[in-house]
Amino acid sequence: MHSQDPGTSREAAAAGSLQPGISSAAGTALPQEAAGLLPLVDAAVLEELEDELAGSGLAQRFARDYAAMWDQRYARLAAAVDGQDRASALDAVISLKITSAMVGGLRLAKLAELLESVIRLGDFGQGRALMERVAQDGGQTVTELQATYILEND
């Protein structure tokens, strides 16, 4: 007879639901909520980038280009997810994750990380659901970046 420690399977199931990339709606709800607790833009990341680039204006230019390319970047990712093109979707979401992190877009970078996990699992239904949040938080990230960094440093 198989003996199991009481509560072990419930604890494992609960822990599994906190893992990014779980394909059920409940499985990504908690990571999405956690991502929502992150700031849209962390100014300290941009300050660090400025320091690393010796105040050359490259950080400002990078942030401006990031904001200017948001619509194009989002459209490319959305088309790949809608078309269930795994390779293109991964390329687009990894680019979004990295560039968002570089400009201090912590919330969007985390959402992109969750979306990447879902895409890797091939769950494009869940991917489309996450895209709604990416669109919303992406737009807000760009707006905050423009208001608090780009325009202030022009």
Side-chain angles (χ1 to χ4, degrees):
M1 183 170 161
H2 182 265
S3 175
Q4 187 174 15
D5 191 20
T8 303
S9 63
R10 279 193 308 270
E11 291 168 13
S17 71
L18 296 175
Q19 298 296 319
I22 302 300
S23 62
S24 70
T28 58
L30 289 175
Q32 277 191 65
E33 289 173 16
L37 298 175
L38 294 170
L40 284 169
V41 177
D42 183 352
V45 174
L46 288 164
E47 290 170 12
E48 184 177 324
L49 184 60
E50 285 177 7
D51 289 345
E52 288 176 11
L53 297 172
S56 63
L58 289 175
Q60 171 78 12
R61 207 165 325 147
F62 182 76
R64 192 178 300 114
D65 290 347
Y66 174 89
M69 291 180 59
W70 166 247
D71 290 336
Q72 178 184 350
R73 182 174 278 130
Y74 175 79
R76 179 174 161 239
L77 177 58
V81 170
D82 285 343
Q84 299 186 16
D85 181 340
R86 187 173 188 266
S88 294
L90 282 173
D91 184 54
V93 79
I94 290 168
S95 173
L96 177 63
K97 177 179 71 173
I98 292 169
T99 57
S100 295
M102 287 178 67
V103 297
L106 302 184
R107 188 181 307 174
L108 188 55
K110 184 63 174 175
L111 283 172
E113 181 180 306
L114 293 170
L115 181 57
E116 178 186 358
S117 296
V118 168
I119 292 166
R120 287 188 187 283
L121 289 173
D123 188 349
F124 285 94
Q126 186 64 32
R128 282 190 288 277
L130 278 171
M131 286 301 295
E132 292 177 25
R133 183 74 184 272
V134 169
Q136 176 185 355
D137 285 0
Q140 290 175 349
T141 297
V142 168
T143 298
E144 184 166 324
L145 189 61
Q146 288 172 329
T148 62
Y149 183 73
I150 297 170
L151 295 177
E152 281 188 6
N153 294 308
D154 268 344

